[in-house]
Amino acid sequence: MNKEEIKKIASSLLFDVTEEVLKDFEEFFEQHLQDLKAFEKIDTTGVKPMSFIDETPKTFMRDDVPGKSLEKEKLLNNATNKNDDFVILSKVVDSEN
Amino acid sequence: MKIKNIGNISDAINELKNDKNNAVSFIYENAKIHDGLLSGATFTIKDIFATEDAPTQASSKILENFMPYYDAEVVARLRKAGATFVGKTHLDELALGGTGTYSAYGIIKNPLDKTRIIGGSSSGAAATFSKNISIALGSDTGDSVRLPASYTGHFGFKPSYGAISRFGLFAFATSLDTVGFFAHNVNDLIVTSNVLFGEDEKDFSSRTVDLPTIEEIKPKRVAMLSNTELLSKKIKDDYAHLKETLSKEGVEINEYKLDTKLLEAINTCYMIISFSEASSNNANLNGIAFGNSISGKTWVDQMTSTRSKGFGRMVQRRFALGAFYLQKENQDIYFNKAKQVRRMIVDMFNKLYSENDLLIFPSAPIAPLLSEGKEDNWFSSYLTHANLSGNPSLSIPWVSEGDMPVNLTLDAKLYNDKSLLSYALWFERLFGGKNV
């Protein structure tokens, strides 16, 4: 990955990276690429991907009983912008759209 | 059944107050004794677990002063069993990182030698773990309890994946995250496991695992590895000596030469899976509903400013790598391949577990110097195989090299936590039981 690609990925994750981070990342990735190349050579033909440690399906079906949840005041207390009832966020949909 | 190393509340609090190692995030100044199985026992909580009565910041600026207002399931179970919380401990930011050098609140060094790393991410838990503290609660996604346990010469236990609920443990990598803890002896690991083990309808990955009992059992068959090329001469000799000792004790030893390519793939496989999961799991840290926030003209500006300032460089690097592995063109060559290699690694170790009661191998080299960092080889990240497999894994004090400790790791089949801890009682006595 070069600096532009790193910036693009960071932007997709909604953060900007400093020059220091970019330099650090580039150096790290050069070394990491060697490990990835070795990794790619492992023959995995016919191997089923493992997504879960315990592959036995399990669900916790329960009755839909109303329970106690966190109090509104406490929840709102963690937000920087709020009023008495809601968290306030800048408009998501542009007026032109 | 009761805790042997009960600790001391006031001495523990004084130690935490006097910490000069950036290891303490919160102190329960008014800690009291409560009734229950854990009555009087002192606990620290890694600051990655939600607590109703204290901030949970995960050592990240983005969560500065965040109050969850609820208890993680493990915290609730400990409270109910009468545990006394004395403090919360710092970690490598968001439990990513494995050195103790990545907390937003400063480097945590190894108290045995300040020029060496302590390991992580449960760094503060290990750094503050004195005899005044019974149990230090941590989490183990790659080796985050067992590695610092070896670097500091304590018992560090990662139970089977699913044995303990993760509700309220801030997620790093969902398919690997496990609650773990430090203790001064095997007995205390068993007692604590009895409080924490059990299904929880708030965590769909939790399972019923047999509760350990305080019953010492000598293993019949033990697997050892002949892959000792990366061990120092001292540790190699100690491992050979252990083999002789076990044979004299009548334990059958089966030696295996594991595929070096797969051992070398453990860390890369772990990085691909864990960073990918982390970059997705932490998308909720955006400064809107909770956490530190920097205002902006638009919601994108706000989130971008918040995440740019809130995450440290290690976290940014790992998230970016995770997103890289998940890009459409990379999914097959990295992410899906990692899931295939994961199965190959798991199958390789499961063969040993099916033929033996235990697998034993040195946990890691001695703690590296801060100036040098961890060596880039499979021995330095050996412990991570147990996170890919989910099997129970216990690092116990064993030998030393120079002035630094090296632990032995006992691994057993998934969900065989009960027998693993019974064998551990036997090993603890074999090694002199000095910590009992």
Side-chain angles (χ1 to χ4, degrees):
Chain A
M1 267 195 289
N2 59 35
K3 283 185 180 178
E4 287 313 306
E5 287 170 309
I6 299 165
K7 279 184 188 171
K8 199 174 159 193
I9 283 182
S11 170
S12 75
L13 292 168
L14 295 182
F15 58 77
D16 298 323
V17 282
T18 61
E19 274 303 314
E20 186 198 358
V21 171
L22 279 174
K23 190 170 173 289
D24 177 54
F25 194 106
E26 265 195 327
E27 284 171 12
F28 173 84
F29 196 72
E30 202 170 312
Q31 172 64 38
H32 184 51
L33 212 49
Q34 303 305 313
D35 296 333
L36 289 178
K37 279 178 184 163
F39 192 77
E40 284 174 51
K41 284 182 188 157
I42 297 172
D43 183 5
T44 53
T45 312
V47 179
K48 190 180 157 201
M50 183 176 176
S51 300
F52 305 101
I53 284 165
D54 191 332
E55 291 171 311
T56 315
K58 174 127 189 164
T59 55
F60 289 79
M61 298 300 287
R62 58 179 188 261
D63 293 332
D64 189 13
V65 182
K68 189 187 160 200
S69 62
L70 290 176
E71 294 157 35
K72 184 176 69 180
E73 290 74 21
K74 286 181 174 176
L75 282 171
L76 290 171
N77 196 36
N78 274 314
T80 306
N81 298 320
K82 70 254 181 181
N83 59 24
D84 288 344
D85 292 307
F86 299 103
V87 171
I88 298 171
L89 174 64
S90 312
K91 196 164 53 178
V92 174
V93 181
D94 291 339
S95 54
E96 294 87 43
N97 301 325
Chain B
M1 182 181 281
K2 61 179 183 182
I3 293 281
K4 280 189 176 175
N5 189 92
I6 205 77
N8 182 298
I9 297 173
S10 58
D11 288 352
I13 289 172
N14 275 334
E15 279 177 1
L16 297 177
K17 278 183 178 172
N18 291 318
D19 170 70
K20 302 274 190 295
N21 195 16
N22 306 312
V24 181
S25 61
F26 182 84
I27 298 172
Y28 285 94
E29 304 237 16
N30 301 315
K32 293 184 182 72
I33 292 181
H34 309 281
D35 292 333
L37 177 65
L38 301 175
S39 181
T42 48
F43 282 67
T44 59
I45 304 167
K46 182 177 179 177
D47 201 27
I48 193 81
F49 291 99
T51 41
E52 188 177 14
D53 52 3
T56 304
Q57 306 176 114
S59 300
S60 179
K61 290 287 182 191
I62 207 164
L63 285 174
E64 203 163 35
N65 299 321
F66 172 52
M67 281 293 298
Y69 296 116
Y70 74 98
D71 277 340
E73 181 64 17
V74 285
V75 173
R77 289 188 186 211
L78 290 173
R79 254 190 232 282
K80 199 175 167 194
T84 294
F85 301 135
V86 289
K88 298 191 78 175
T89 54
H90 275 308
L91 52 139
D92 279 324
E93 185 177 355
L94 299 171
L96 283 73
T99 56
T101 60
Y102 292 115
S103 160
Y105 296 87
I107 293 175
I108 302 168
K109 296 174 183 173
N110 193 318
L112 299 178
D113 178 347
K114 292 282 176 62
T115 67
R116 294 182 184 276
I117 70 171
I118 186 150
S121 60
S122 307
S123 321
T128 54
F129 193 53
S130 74
K131 287 281 184 182
N132 291 317
I133 295 163
S134 308
I135 299 285
L137 193 62
S139 61
D140 190 317
T141 300
D143 54 21
S144 296
V145 165
R146 293 160 296 144
L147 189 67
S150 185
Y151 286 174
T152 55
H154 294 301
F155 290 80
F157 181 39
K158 182 198 82 68
S160 287
Y161 177 89
I164 299 177
S165 168
R166 301 175 302 172
F167 176 75
L169 163 66
F170 296 176
F172 162 13
T174 315
S175 77
L176 302 160
D177 289 342
T178 316
V179 175
F181 38 98
F182 300 83
H184 294 287
N185 54 62
V186 180
N187 174 87
D188 294 355
L189 291 173
I190 293 171
V191 176
T192 306
S193 296
N194 271 268
V195 172
L196 297 181
F197 277 28
E199 281 187 30
D200 175 15
E201 64 178 22
K202 299 184 290 303
D203 177 0
F204 281 17
S205 67
S206 65
R207 295 286 184 275
T208 297
V209 175
D210 287 346
L211 291 176
T213 54
I214 301 171
E215 181 192 6
E216 181 185 317
I217 300 175
K218 182 168 89 171
K220 289 188 176 70
R221 284 172 296 278
V222 169
M224 296 183 80
L225 303 183
S226 58
N227 306 71
T228 56
E229 62 279 0
L230 295 174
L231 274 56
S232 67
K233 184 179 180 311
K234 167 73 169 57
I235 301 304
K236 199 186 288 188
D237 289 347
D238 286 332
Y239 193 52
H241 182 247
L242 177 60
K243 186 181 167 188
E244 285 173 26
T245 305
L246 292 175
S247 293
K248 279 181 195 162
E249 290 282 339
V251 177
E252 181 188 323
I253 302 294
N254 295 312
E255 204 161 33
Y256 296 82
K257 174 82 176 169
L258 296 182
D259 183 346
T260 312
K261 278 200 172 58
L262 283 182
L263 289 173
E264 286 169 349
I266 289 173
N267 195 39
T268 310
C269 185
Y270 164 77
M271 286 171 73
I272 294 171
I273 291 170
S274 66
F275 298 177
S276 300
E277 292 182 1
S279 96
S280 167
N281 279 336
N282 288 284
N284 65 338
L285 301 180
N286 54 28
I288 302 297
F290 62 93
N292 222 344
S293 186
I294 296 171
S295 58
K297 268 187 177 174
T298 67
W299 64 277
V300 174
D301 291 341
Q302 182 179 350
M303 288 187 190
T304 303
S305 300
T306 298
R307 287 166 68 85
S308 301
K309 298 279 184 203
F311 294 140
R313 64 191 164 92
M314 176 276 295
V315 166
Q316 290 190 351
R317 188 173 73 200
R318 288 190 173 201
F319 287 174
L321 278 168
F324 168 76
Y325 305 135
L326 289 174
Q327 282 181 325
K328 196 177 172 190
E329 62 273 26
N330 291 336
Q331 275 190 19
D332 273 339
I333 52 174
Y334 297 131
F335 190 64
N336 290 335
K337 183 158 185 122
K339 293 203 283 187
Q340 291 176 302
V341 173
R342 180 176 188 173
R343 187 179 296 281
M344 291 168 75
I345 293 166
V346 170
D347 287 349
M348 177 172 78
F349 280 96
N350 276 347
K351 180 177 184 299
L352 273 58
Y353 303 143
S354 67
E355 295 170 356
N356 300 275
D357 297 324
L358 286 173
L359 160 66
I360 57 171
F361 198 69
S363 297
I366 61 166
L369 292 166
L370 277 160
S371 55
E372 293 177 357
K374 283 197 272 189
E375 282 186 59
D376 185 19
N377 63 45
W378 68 258
F379 182 35
S380 293
S381 51
Y382 165 76
L383 293 168
T384 304
H385 77 81
N387 297 86
L388 296 175
S389 304
N391 64 281
S393 182
L394 169 60
S395 181
I396 68 171
W398 175 43
V399 293
S400 59
E401 185 170 10
D403 293 329
M404 297 305 291
V406 172
N407 280 10
L408 185 76
T409 297
L410 281 55
D411 284 295
K413 194 177 175 182
L414 182 66
Y415 303 143
N416 280 16
D417 303 58
K418 181 181 176 183
S419 53
L420 173 68
L421 288 165
S422 284
Y423 299 138
L425 284 167
W426 184 81
F427 271 92
E428 184 181 33
R429 196 167 51 79
L430 183 74
F431 294 160
K434 64 182 176 185
N435 292 292
V436 178

